[in-house]
Amino acid sequence: MMTTSRKNDPLEPVGPDCDVVTVPARQGLEAVDILRRGAGDAVGPVLHDGGCDTLGFLVPPGTAAAWDVPGSVCTETDGRGICLTPDRPAEGSDWLVPPGEADLATDPAVLREALGQAQRMIDAADSCR
């Protein structure tokens, strides 16, 4: 079910103008921990899919144009399909870090650094097997 405006026009923006960085769940969970341990509350709202395979970090609009982190994808939403309410934001997803418990969006430079650190930790843990 797609969330729409009161006019029931699916082309009308219904949520914040943001982009979403999607990453594998393991890397994303590590990054959330890294961001929460950093100075201040550096993590914005974070979505997880129903199967918990991926996480989606809300980032400021325009991030997708320059996003180049391997293993991740950044998608423009133009405010469509995501509602910043504590309820389920979109069909098949839910909040890991709900709105209201976080900044409006995660800073892309800080997220890029956290994802890199998370991947290095995962690589180190996997090489110890």
Side-chain angles (χ1 to χ4, degrees), residues 74-100:
C74 189
T75 308
E76 295 178 25
T77 69
D78 298 325
R80 292 175 180 81
I82 296 178
C83 289
L84 287 182
T85 63
D87 298 330
R88 205 164 259 174
E91 186 175 339
S93 66
D94 208 346
W95 295 111
L96 176 68
V97 179

Side-chain angles (χ1 to χ4, degrees), residues 106-129:
T106 301
D107 180 297
V110 174
L111 179 57
R112 180 178 277 115
E113 185 176 321
L115 290 171
Q117 185 177 350
Q119 189 59 52
R120 289 189 296 277
M121 291 171 62
I122 291 167
D123 292 344
D126 288 351
S127 70
C128 292
R129 290 182 184 184

Side-chain angles (χ1 to χ4, degrees), residues 28-41:
L29 290 169
E30 290 288 348
V32 168
D33 286 344
I34 291 164
L35 291 168
R36 285 191 160 172
R37 286 192 311 255
D41 189 17

